[in-house]
mmCIF file of all heavy atoms in Angstrom:
data_model
loop_
_atom_site.group_PDB
_atom_site.id
_atom_site.type_symbol
_atom_site.label_atom_id
_atom_site.label_comp_id
_atom_site.label_asym_id
_atom_site.label_seq_id
_atom_site.Cartn_x
_atom_site.Cartn_y
_atom_site.Cartn_z
ATOM 1 N N LYS B 125 -23.930 9.065 -30.062
ATOM 2 C CA LYS B 125 -24.889 9.464 -31.088
ATOM 3 C C LYS B 125 -24.929 8.834 -32.397
ATOM 4 O O LYS B 125 -25.915 9.156 -33.205
ATOM 5 C CB LYS B 125 -24.685 11.074 -31.318
ATOM 6 C CG LYS B 125 -24.613 11.985 -30.159
ATOM 7 C CD LYS B 125 -24.167 13.404 -30.447
ATOM 8 C CE LYS B 125 -23.989 14.190 -29.195
ATOM 9 N NZ LYS B 125 -23.510 15.562 -29.425
ATOM 10 N N GLY B 126 -24.181 7.810 -32.506
ATOM 11 C CA GLY B 126 -24.180 7.055 -33.672
ATOM 12 C C GLY B 126 -23.464 7.615 -34.842
ATOM 13 O O GLY B 126 -23.537 7.093 -35.943
ATOM 14 N N ASP B 127 -22.676 8.546 -34.645
ATOM 15 C CA ASP B 127 -21.944 9.295 -35.689
ATOM 16 C C ASP B 127 -20.501 8.856 -35.788
ATOM 17 O O ASP B 127 -19.650 9.509 -35.654
ATOM 18 C CB ASP B 127 -21.941 10.889 -35.539
ATOM 19 C CG ASP B 127 -21.502 11.607 -36.677
ATOM 20 O OD1 ASP B 127 -21.445 10.988 -37.740
ATOM 21 O OD2 ASP B 127 -21.192 12.787 -36.542
ATOM 22 N N CYS B 128 -20.290 7.496 -36.078
ATOM 23 C CA CYS B 128 -19.041 6.976 -36.103
ATOM 24 C C CYS B 128 -18.264 7.450 -37.323
ATOM 25 O O CYS B 128 -17.039 7.415 -37.269
ATOM 26 C CB CYS B 128 -19.060 5.370 -36.155
ATOM 27 S SG CYS B 128 -19.759 4.706 -34.591
ATOM 28 N N ASP B 129 -18.920 7.848 -38.345
ATOM 29 C CA ASP B 129 -18.185 8.206 -39.621
ATOM 30 C C ASP B 129 -17.426 9.414 -39.362
ATOM 31 O O ASP B 129 -16.509 9.659 -40.222
ATOM 32 C CB ASP B 129 -19.375 8.506 -40.758
ATOM 33 C CG ASP B 129 -19.964 7.164 -41.093
ATOM 34 O OD1 ASP B 129 -19.384 6.122 -40.818
ATOM 35 O OD2 ASP B 129 -21.033 7.233 -41.651
ATOM 36 N N SER B 130 -17.834 10.252 -38.416
ATOM 37 C CA SER B 130 -16.966 11.431 -38.232
ATOM 38 C C SER B 130 -15.730 11.313 -37.403
ATOM 39 O O SER B 130 -14.961 12.212 -37.097
ATOM 40 C CB SER B 130 -17.974 12.589 -37.490
ATOM 41 O OG SER B 130 -18.321 12.153 -36.300
ATOM 42 N N LEU B 131 -15.538 10.053 -36.895
ATOM 43 C CA LEU B 131 -14.484 9.716 -35.963
ATOM 44 C C LEU B 131 -13.064 10.065 -36.662
ATOM 45 O O LEU B 131 -12.111 10.493 -36.134
ATOM 46 C CB LEU B 131 -14.533 8.423 -35.294
ATOM 47 C CG LEU B 131 -15.550 8.230 -34.253
ATOM 48 C CD1 LEU B 131 -15.612 6.723 -33.894
ATOM 49 C CD2 LEU B 131 -15.360 9.128 -33.096
ATOM 50 N N ASP B 132 -13.045 9.664 -37.907
ATOM 51 C CA ASP B 132 -11.690 9.791 -38.650
ATOM 52 C C ASP B 132 -11.428 11.316 -38.778
ATOM 53 O O ASP B 132 -10.180 11.572 -38.543
ATOM 54 C CB ASP B 132 -11.913 9.232 -40.100
ATOM 55 C CG ASP B 132 -11.895 7.792 -40.193
ATOM 56 O OD1 ASP B 132 -11.477 7.159 -39.092
ATOM 57 O OD2 ASP B 132 -12.468 7.193 -41.117
ATOM 58 N N TYR B 133 -12.373 12.263 -38.941
ATOM 59 C CA TYR B 133 -11.996 13.531 -38.957
ATOM 60 C C TYR B 133 -11.727 14.023 -37.582
ATOM 61 O O TYR B 133 -10.723 14.745 -37.429
ATOM 62 C CB TYR B 133 -13.245 14.403 -39.425
ATOM 63 C CG TYR B 133 -13.233 15.856 -39.320
ATOM 64 C CD1 TYR B 133 -12.520 16.490 -40.500
ATOM 65 C CD2 TYR B 133 -13.500 16.551 -38.261
ATOM 66 C CE1 TYR B 133 -12.335 17.819 -40.473
ATOM 67 C CE2 TYR B 133 -13.321 17.859 -38.138
ATOM 68 C CZ TYR B 133 -12.655 18.562 -39.273
ATOM 69 O OH TYR B 133 -12.556 19.915 -39.203
ATOM 70 N N THR B 134 -12.204 13.487 -36.542
ATOM 71 C CA THR B 134 -11.869 13.888 -35.141
ATOM 72 C C THR B 134 -10.547 13.446 -34.883
ATOM 73 O O THR B 134 -9.742 14.194 -34.249
ATOM 74 C CB THR B 134 -12.829 13.153 -34.185
ATOM 75 O OG1 THR B 134 -14.187 13.605 -34.525
ATOM 76 C CG2 THR B 134 -12.520 13.737 -32.713
ATOM 77 N N LYS B 135 -10.060 12.262 -35.249
ATOM 78 C CA LYS B 135 -8.788 11.833 -35.119
ATOM 79 C C LYS B 135 -7.639 12.775 -35.710
ATOM 80 O O LYS B 135 -6.636 13.029 -35.220
ATOM 81 C CB LYS B 135 -8.555 10.342 -35.633
ATOM 82 C CG LYS B 135 -9.168 9.394 -34.707
ATOM 83 C CD LYS B 135 -9.005 7.983 -35.313
ATOM 84 C CE LYS B 135 -9.540 6.855 -34.518
ATOM 85 N NZ LYS B 135 -9.265 5.532 -35.010
ATOM 86 N N ARG B 136 -8.060 13.120 -37.016
ATOM 87 C CA ARG B 136 -6.987 14.050 -37.709
ATOM 88 C C ARG B 136 -6.930 15.414 -37.034
ATOM 89 O O ARG B 136 -5.789 15.805 -37.058
ATOM 90 C CB ARG B 136 -7.686 14.173 -39.102
ATOM 91 C CG ARG B 136 -7.584 12.979 -40.059
ATOM 92 C CD ARG B 136 -7.865 13.393 -41.494
ATOM 93 N NE ARG B 136 -8.241 12.215 -42.347
ATOM 94 C CZ ARG B 136 -9.424 11.888 -42.700
ATOM 95 N NH1 ARG B 136 -10.477 12.722 -42.376
ATOM 96 N NH2 ARG B 136 -9.581 10.784 -43.426
ATOM 97 N N LYS B 137 -7.811 15.909 -36.421
ATOM 98 C CA LYS B 137 -7.818 17.162 -35.971
ATOM 99 C C LYS B 137 -7.404 17.311 -34.489
ATOM 100 O O LYS B 137 -7.285 18.266 -33.834
ATOM 101 C CB LYS B 137 -9.324 17.837 -36.077
ATOM 102 C CG LYS B 137 -9.662 18.104 -37.542
ATOM 103 C CD LYS B 137 -8.527 19.023 -38.175
ATOM 104 C CE LYS B 137 -8.908 19.273 -39.727
ATOM 105 N NZ LYS B 137 -7.887 20.076 -40.308
ATOM 106 N N LYS B 138 -7.352 16.199 -33.758
ATOM 107 C CA LYS B 138 -7.052 16.103 -32.375
ATOM 108 C C LYS B 138 -5.491 16.501 -32.224
ATOM 109 O O LYS B 138 -4.743 16.339 -33.191
ATOM 110 C CB LYS B 138 -7.141 14.806 -31.738
ATOM 111 C CG LYS B 138 -6.287 13.660 -32.231
ATOM 112 C CD LYS B 138 -6.534 12.487 -31.532
ATOM 113 C CE LYS B 138 -5.595 11.306 -32.001
ATOM 114 N NZ LYS B 138 -5.931 10.147 -31.272
ATOM 115 N N GLU B 139 -5.194 17.138 -31.148
ATOM 116 C CA GLU B 139 -3.887 17.702 -30.833
ATOM 117 C C GLU B 139 -2.970 16.529 -30.644
ATOM 118 O O GLU B 139 -3.335 15.542 -30.045
ATOM 119 C CB GLU B 139 -3.798 18.679 -29.739
ATOM 120 C CG GLU B 139 -4.555 20.040 -29.947
ATOM 121 C CD GLU B 139 -4.369 20.962 -28.827
ATOM 122 O OE1 GLU B 139 -3.561 20.505 -27.885
ATOM 123 O OE2 GLU B 139 -4.966 22.008 -28.787
ATOM 124 N N LEU B 140 -1.858 16.616 -31.249
ATOM 125 C CA LEU B 140 -0.853 15.526 -31.082
ATOM 126 C C LEU B 140 -0.307 15.565 -29.671
ATOM 127 O O LEU B 140 -0.089 16.570 -28.922
ATOM 128 C CB LEU B 140 0.398 15.912 -31.947
ATOM 129 C CG LEU B 140 1.654 14.865 -31.761
ATOM 130 C CD1 LEU B 140 1.183 13.412 -32.242
ATOM 131 C CD2 LEU B 140 2.791 15.295 -32.526
ATOM 132 N N GLN B 141 -0.203 14.353 -29.040
ATOM 133 C CA GLN B 141 0.354 14.224 -27.643
ATOM 134 C C GLN B 141 1.784 14.390 -27.905
ATOM 135 O O GLN B 141 2.607 13.749 -28.575
ATOM 136 C CB GLN B 141 0.146 12.720 -27.101
ATOM 137 C CG GLN B 141 -1.460 12.444 -27.088
ATOM 138 C CD GLN B 141 -1.555 11.077 -26.606
ATOM 139 O OE1 GLN B 141 -1.019 10.741 -25.579
ATOM 140 N NE2 GLN B 141 -2.156 10.289 -27.424
ATOM 141 N N PRO B 142 2.475 15.291 -26.994
ATOM 142 C CA PRO B 142 3.861 15.348 -26.876
ATOM 143 C C PRO B 142 4.380 13.950 -26.358
ATOM 144 O O PRO B 142 3.635 13.250 -25.822
ATOM 145 C CB PRO B 142 4.189 16.517 -26.015
ATOM 146 C CG PRO B 142 2.963 16.642 -25.205
ATOM 147 C CD PRO B 142 1.881 16.301 -26.134
ATOM 148 N N TYR B 143 5.690 13.584 -26.824
ATOM 149 C CA TYR B 143 6.134 12.322 -26.429
ATOM 150 C C TYR B 143 5.998 11.969 -25.039
ATOM 151 O O TYR B 143 5.887 10.728 -24.620
ATOM 152 C CB TYR B 143 7.534 12.075 -27.035
ATOM 153 C CG TYR B 143 8.626 12.619 -25.971
ATOM 154 C CD1 TYR B 143 9.062 11.926 -24.887
ATOM 155 C CD2 TYR B 143 8.996 13.981 -26.156
ATOM 156 C CE1 TYR B 143 9.992 12.501 -23.988
ATOM 157 C CE2 TYR B 143 9.867 14.442 -25.249
ATOM 158 C CZ TYR B 143 10.455 13.809 -24.201
ATOM 159 O OH TYR B 143 11.322 14.243 -23.342
ATOM 160 N N SER B 144 6.059 12.974 -24.107
ATOM 161 C CA SER B 144 6.136 12.690 -22.682
ATOM 162 C C SER B 144 4.763 12.252 -22.263
ATOM 163 O O SER B 144 4.524 11.763 -21.190
ATOM 164 C CB SER B 144 6.454 14.086 -21.956
ATOM 165 O OG SER B 144 5.595 15.070 -22.299
ATOM 166 N N LYS B 145 3.657 12.481 -23.157
ATOM 167 C CA LYS B 145 2.296 12.084 -22.797
ATOM 168 C C LYS B 145 1.958 10.710 -23.462
ATOM 169 O O LYS B 145 0.799 10.311 -23.347
ATOM 170 C CB LYS B 145 1.408 13.153 -23.239
ATOM 171 C CG LYS B 145 1.513 14.442 -22.406
ATOM 172 C CD LYS B 145 1.020 14.236 -20.962
ATOM 173 C CE LYS B 145 1.078 15.682 -20.224
ATOM 174 N NZ LYS B 145 0.121 16.672 -20.861
ATOM 175 N N ILE B 146 2.793 10.190 -24.405
ATOM 176 C CA ILE B 146 2.635 8.989 -24.959
ATOM 177 C C ILE B 146 2.465 7.878 -24.001
ATOM 178 O O ILE B 146 3.273 7.630 -23.012
ATOM 179 C CB ILE B 146 3.660 8.647 -25.999
ATOM 180 C CG1 ILE B 146 3.548 9.502 -27.258
ATOM 181 C CG2 ILE B 146 3.381 7.284 -26.566
ATOM 182 C CD1 ILE B 146 4.729 9.223 -28.238
ATOM 183 N N VAL B 147 1.386 7.152 -24.037
ATOM 184 C CA VAL B 147 1.114 6.021 -23.113
ATOM 185 C C VAL B 147 1.675 4.789 -23.684
ATOM 186 O O VAL B 147 1.384 4.325 -24.709
ATOM 187 C CB VAL B 147 -0.510 5.808 -23.001
ATOM 188 C CG1 VAL B 147 -0.616 4.687 -21.891
ATOM 189 C CG2 VAL B 147 -0.982 7.101 -22.323
ATOM 190 N N LEU B 148 2.720 4.248 -22.869
ATOM 191 C CA LEU B 148 3.231 2.937 -23.125
ATOM 192 C C LEU B 148 2.578 1.763 -22.436
ATOM 193 O O LEU B 148 2.384 1.906 -21.125
ATOM 194 C CB LEU B 148 4.767 2.834 -22.924
ATOM 195 C CG LEU B 148 5.605 3.751 -23.755
ATOM 196 C CD1 LEU B 148 6.997 3.637 -23.356
ATOM 197 C CD2 LEU B 148 5.493 3.565 -25.123
ATOM 198 N N ASP B 149 2.079 0.771 -23.025
ATOM 199 C CA ASP B 149 1.506 -0.314 -22.239
ATOM 200 C C ASP B 149 2.514 -1.200 -21.556
ATOM 201 O O ASP B 149 3.732 -1.014 -21.773
ATOM 202 C CB ASP B 149 0.422 -1.066 -23.189
ATOM 203 C CG ASP B 149 1.173 -1.690 -24.380
ATOM 204 O OD1 ASP B 149 2.463 -2.153 -24.191
ATOM 205 O OD2 ASP B 149 0.606 -1.884 -25.373
ATOM 206 N N GLN B 150 2.068 -2.179 -20.870
ATOM 207 C CA GLN B 150 2.997 -2.839 -20.096
ATOM 208 C C GLN B 150 3.990 -3.742 -20.943
ATOM 209 O O GLN B 150 5.095 -3.952 -20.568
ATOM 210 C CB GLN B 150 2.122 -3.895 -19.214
ATOM 211 C CG GLN B 150 1.214 -4.797 -19.938
ATOM 212 C CD GLN B 150 0.291 -5.543 -18.995
ATOM 213 O OE1 GLN B 150 0.829 -6.066 -17.859
ATOM 214 N NE2 GLN B 150 -0.915 -5.940 -19.435
ATOM 215 N N TYR B 151 3.453 -4.113 -22.238
ATOM 216 C CA TYR B 151 4.460 -4.838 -23.113
ATOM 217 C C TYR B 151 5.425 -3.941 -23.639
ATOM 218 O O TYR B 151 6.586 -4.423 -23.724
ATOM 219 C CB TYR B 151 3.497 -5.350 -24.220
ATOM 220 C CG TYR B 151 2.173 -5.931 -23.851
ATOM 221 C CD1 TYR B 151 1.049 -5.326 -24.184
ATOM 222 C CD2 TYR B 151 2.059 -7.061 -22.996
ATOM 223 C CE1 TYR B 151 -0.249 -5.848 -23.861
ATOM 224 C CE2 TYR B 151 0.806 -7.480 -22.581
ATOM 225 C CZ TYR B 151 -0.314 -6.927 -23.041
ATOM 226 O OH TYR B 151 -1.468 -7.378 -22.564
ATOM 227 N N GLN B 152 5.096 -2.824 -24.083
ATOM 228 C CA GLN B 152 6.003 -1.770 -24.540
ATOM 229 C C GLN B 152 7.001 -1.471 -23.433
ATOM 230 O O GLN B 152 8.315 -1.181 -23.748
ATOM 231 C CB GLN B 152 5.340 -0.555 -25.117
ATOM 232 C CG GLN B 152 4.570 -0.887 -26.360
ATOM 233 C CD GLN B 152 3.419 0.111 -26.735
ATOM 234 O OE1 GLN B 152 3.037 0.909 -25.921
ATOM 235 N NE2 GLN B 152 3.067 0.067 -28.020
#
Side-chain angles (χ1 to χ4, degrees):
K125 298 174 184 176
D127 190 13
C128 295
D129 294 335
S130 65
L131 284 176
D132 288 339
Y133 177 81
T134 305
K135 285 183 180 179
R136 292 190 192 106
K137 294 299 179 182
K138 68 179 180 181
E139 290 186 6
L140 174 70
Q141 304 175 56
Y143 80 85
S144 60
K145 296 287 185 67
I146 291 179
V147 178
L148 295 180
D149 59 31
Q150 55 188 331
Y151 320 112
Q152 293 159 342

